C-alpha cells in the first residue's frame, strides 16, 4: 500500500431517533487509517480505498455546490430525516456537490464527532449521486489535520479549509499551515476575511496552487479577485451570490438551498442578467443578518425544516419574515424547495435551543 493510500476497513455509525450518536476512535499510521463508530442499532458504512482519493479534476468540474443547511429536532439534535430531504431536493434539481457542515450548515456549532458522522452519513447516502465536500478546517493546524484525515477516512471527496481565525498567524505561518493540511488530501481553500479577520492574499494562494492536492479556492472577496485567479488558471468558486455567474468556475451557494433549479440554470446556461436581477432581492434578503439566520428562517417558513434554532442564532424579525413571503410570491412558489404553502411564522412558533 502506498503512503498516500487511505484504507477504511469498517465503520459503524448509529442513527437513533434521527440523532447522531457515536464514539469515535481514530488510529493513524503512515499507511493506514481505521475508523470505528460504536453503539447499538448500528448501520455499517462500507469501507473506501483510493490511491489519490477522488479525482481532483472531477471536483474542479463542479459548477454548483450547495452549502447545505443542517436542520434540527426540537431537542436541538440533528434531524437526519429533514437533512436527507434537503439533500435529495438538491440532487433532483441538478446540484453537483454538497458542502457538509460549512458555515451555512453550522459546523462550528457541532461536536467533532457529529461533524464526522454527518459527513459519513452524506457519503453513505448520497456519495454515488453527488460530490461530498466536508468542512474540516480549524484554526488549530493539528485539529485541522486530524479532522481532515477522519473526513477522508469516511469517504468525502475533498475538504474545505478556512484559514486560522482569531489566533491569526503570519503569511509564512499561513503557508506552513496549509502545506501541512494539503499533505492529507484534496483541499479547497476558503477565504472569508469578514469571518477570519485575515485575508488569504493572492501571493499565498499562488504558492499553494503548486501543491498537487490543491483543488482551488472558495473566494469571498469581490469579483476582481475571482477574475484574477481565473485568468491564472486557478480554479475558484465564488461565494458572492450576486456575481456567481461571472468569472468563477462555479458557486458554493447559500441560495441554492431555497431555489436549486434557478441556481443551476444561472450557473449552467450561460450569462443570464435577467434571471440574476430577478434573484438579487432574495440574495439581499438572505444577507440582512449574518449567515445562516435568513436561510434558517426561510426554510422554516417553507415548511421543509422544523423551526428550531441553535443559539447563538435566532430568527429574523416578523417584519423580515413577512418580506420573505412576498419574495416567494414574486419569484414563484414553484421555484422554491418543498411543497407546503409558504407562511409567516409567529415568534412563538420558533424553538430556540441553548444546549443540545
Amino acid at each position: 500500500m502506498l503512503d498516500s493510500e487511505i484504507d477504511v476497513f469498517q465503520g459503524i455509525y448509529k442513527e437513533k431517533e434521527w440523532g447522531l450518536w457515536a464514539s469515535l476512535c481514530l488510529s493513524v499510521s503512515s499507511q493506514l487509517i481505521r475508523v470505528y463508530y460504536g453503539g447499538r442499532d448500528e448501520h455499517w458504512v462500507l469501507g473506501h480505498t483510493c490511491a489519490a482519493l477522488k479525482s481532483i479534476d472531477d471536483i474542479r468540474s463542479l459548477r454548483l455546490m450547495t452549502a447545505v443547511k443542517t436542520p434540527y429536532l426540537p431537542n436541538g439534535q440533528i434531524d437526519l430525516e429533514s437533512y436527507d430531504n434537503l439533500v435529495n431536493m438538491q440532487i433532483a434539481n441538478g446540484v453537483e456537490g454538497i458542502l457538509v457542515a460549512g458555515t451555512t450548515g453550522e459546523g462550528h456549532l457541532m461536536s467533532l464527532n457529529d461533524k464526522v458522522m454527518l459527513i459519513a452519513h452524506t457519503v453513505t447516502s448520497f456519495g454515488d449521486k453527488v460530490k461530498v465536500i466536508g468542512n474540516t478546517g480549524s484554526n488549530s493546524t493539528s485539529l485541522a489535520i486530524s479532522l481532515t484525515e477522519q473526513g477522508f477516512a469516511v469517504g468525502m471527496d475533498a475538504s474545505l479549509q478556512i484559514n486560522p481565525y482569531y489566533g491569526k498567524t503570519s503569511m509564512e505561518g499561513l503557508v506552513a499551515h496549509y502545506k501541512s493540511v494539503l499533505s492529507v488530501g484534496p483541499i479547497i481553500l476558503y477565504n472569508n476575511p469578514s469571518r477570519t479577520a485575515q485575508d488569504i492574499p493572492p501571493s499565498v494562494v499562488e504558492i499553494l496552487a503548486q501543491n498537487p492536492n490543491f483543488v482551488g479556492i472558495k473566494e469571498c472577496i469581490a469579483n476582481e479577485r475571482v477574475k484574477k485567479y481565473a485568468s491564472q488558471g486557478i480554479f475558484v468558486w465564488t461565494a458572492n451570490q450576486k456575481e456567481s455567474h461571472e468569472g468563477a468556475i462555479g458557486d458554493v451557494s447559500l441560495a441554492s438551498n431555497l431555489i436549486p433549479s434557478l441556481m443551476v440554470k444561472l450557473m449552467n446556461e450561460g450569462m443570464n442578467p435577467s434571471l440574476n436581477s430577478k434573484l438579487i432581492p432574495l440574495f439581499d434578503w438572505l444577507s440582512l443578518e449574518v449567515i445562516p439566520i435568513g436561510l434558517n428562517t426561510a426554510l422554516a417558513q417553507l415548511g421543509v425544516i422544523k423551526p428550531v434554532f441553535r443559539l447563538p442564532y435566532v430568527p429574523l424579525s416578523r417584519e423580515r419574515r413577512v418580506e420573505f413571503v412576498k419574495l416567494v410570491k414574486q419569484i414563484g412558489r414553484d421555484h422554491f424547495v418543498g411543497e407546503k404553502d409558504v407562511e409567516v411564522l409567529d415568534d412563538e412558533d420558533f424553538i430556540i435551543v441553548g444546549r443540545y
Side-chain angles (χ1 to χ4, degrees):
M1 185 182 297
L2 299 175
D3 284 353
S4 61
E5 287 184 323
I6 292 178
D7 190 3
V8 181
F9 287 96
Q10 293 177 340
I12 311 169
Y13 68 92
K14 183 176 99 172
E15 302 173 8
K16 189 172 182 62
E17 297 177 355
W18 299 109
L20 292 177
W21 303 82
S23 59
L24 178 65
C25 175
L26 180 67
S27 175
V28 184
S29 71
S30 63
Q31 297 190 6
L32 180 64
I33 293 178
R34 288 177 177 165
V35 179
Y36 301 95
Y37 302 103
R40 294 169 294 179
D41 303 323
E42 300 96 345
H43 299 283
W44 288 89
V45 179
L46 297 178
H48 303 266
T49 303
C50 42
L53 298 170
K54 304 294 177 67
S55 168
I56 288 178
D57 287 340
D58 286 346
I59 303 166
R60 287 174 171 170
S61 72
L62 301 179
R63 287 287 287 160
L64 181 64
M65 291 185 274
T66 295
V68 70
K69 157 67 180 167
T70 305
Y72 306 117
L73 295 165
N75 64 2
Q77 293 295 312
I78 295 173
D79 182 355
L80 275 182
E81 184 174 23
S82 295
Y83 177 85
D84 289 353
N85 185 41
L86 290 174
V87 176
N88 276 320
M89 287 188 287
Q90 297 298 311
I91 294 171
N93 282 284
V95 170
E96 304 162 302
I98 296 294
L99 171 61
V100 182
T103 306
T104 302
E106 300 177 25
H108 48 290
L109 302 185
M110 293 181 190
S111 70
L112 298 183
N113 280 0
D114 273 5
K115 182 178 285 191
V116 176
M117 296 310 103
L118 193 58
I119 293 170
H121 173 80
T122 308
V123 170
T124 303
S125 301
F126 307 106
D128 59 336
K129 303 179 184 71
V130 70
K131 295 296 182 184
V132 178
I133 315 301
N135 173 32
T136 59
S138 172
N139 57 352
S140 160
T141 304
S142 178
L143 182 56
I145 291 171
S146 176
L147 191 55
T148 302
E149 286 173 337
Q150 294 173 48
F152 283 125
V154 297
M156 70 182 183
D157 296 287
S159 166
L160 184 72
Q161 290 283 332
I162 193 73
N163 52 308
Y165 47 89
Y166 187 70
K168 298 183 293 183
T169 185
S170 63
M171 292 300 102
E172 293 79 8
L174 193 56
V175 170
H177 166 84
Y178 272 124
K179 283 185 174 180
S180 294
V181 182
L182 279 161
S183 68
V184 180
I187 301 297
I188 299 172
L189 308 188
Y190 180 23
N191 188 34
N192 190 343
S194 68
R195 291 187 179 269
T196 64
Q198 184 178 51
D199 182 32
I200 308 175
S203 59
V204 168
V205 174
E206 289 160 6
I207 293 171
L208 298 173
Q210 305 307 310
N211 190 293
N213 277 334
F214 175 90
V215 178
I217 181 169
K218 176 186 175 184
E219 181 61 75
C220 296
I221 298 290
N223 255 27
E224 289 74 16
R225 177 81 62 90
V226 169
K227 292 175 181 177
K228 171 182 171 62
Y229 288 144
S231 70
Q232 296 175 298
I234 294 173
F235 288 81
V236 55
W237 290 266
T238 182
N240 302 317
Q241 300 287 282
K242 295 180 183 180
E243 301 173 320
S244 60
H245 66 313
E246 299 179 16
I249 187 66
D251 182 19
V252 180
S253 179
L254 168 76
S256 56
N257 279 277
L258 299 172
I259 48 168
S261 62
L262 292 181
M263 291 305 298
V264 167
K265 183 175 183 179
L266 192 64
M267 295 306 301
N268 291 345
E269 297 182 11
M271 296 290 289
N272 192 334
S274 176
L275 175 58
N276 194 61
S277 296
K278 181 179 180 180
L279 297 178
I280 282 177
L282 176 62
F283 298 156
D284 288 340
W285 185 90
L286 286 168
S287 300
L288 287 171
E289 285 287 356
V290 294
I291 294 169
I293 291 173
L295 176 65
N296 295 357
T297 305
L299 288 170
Q301 294 203 149
L302 289 167
V304 294
I305 66 170
K306 297 172 181 64
V308 181
F309 279 67
R310 281 184 175 182
L311 286 173
Y313 298 124
V314 294
L316 287 178
S317 67
R318 181 176 176 81
E319 176 186 0
R320 299 305 191 189
R321 301 198 294 264
V322 171
E323 289 175 0
F324 176 71
V325 171
K326 292 178 181 178
L327 283 171
V328 172
K329 293 177 179 178
Q330 289 170 7
I331 296 171
R333 176 64 184 91
D334 57 315
H335 293 303
F336 286 77
V337 294
E339 298 177 352
K340 297 179 180 179
D341 290 337
V342 63
E343 61 177 335
V344 178
L345 295 180
D346 294 324
D347 291 345
E348 56 268 24
D349 292 325
F350 291 96
I351 300 170
I352 313 298
V353 184
R355 298 186 66 171
Y356 36 83

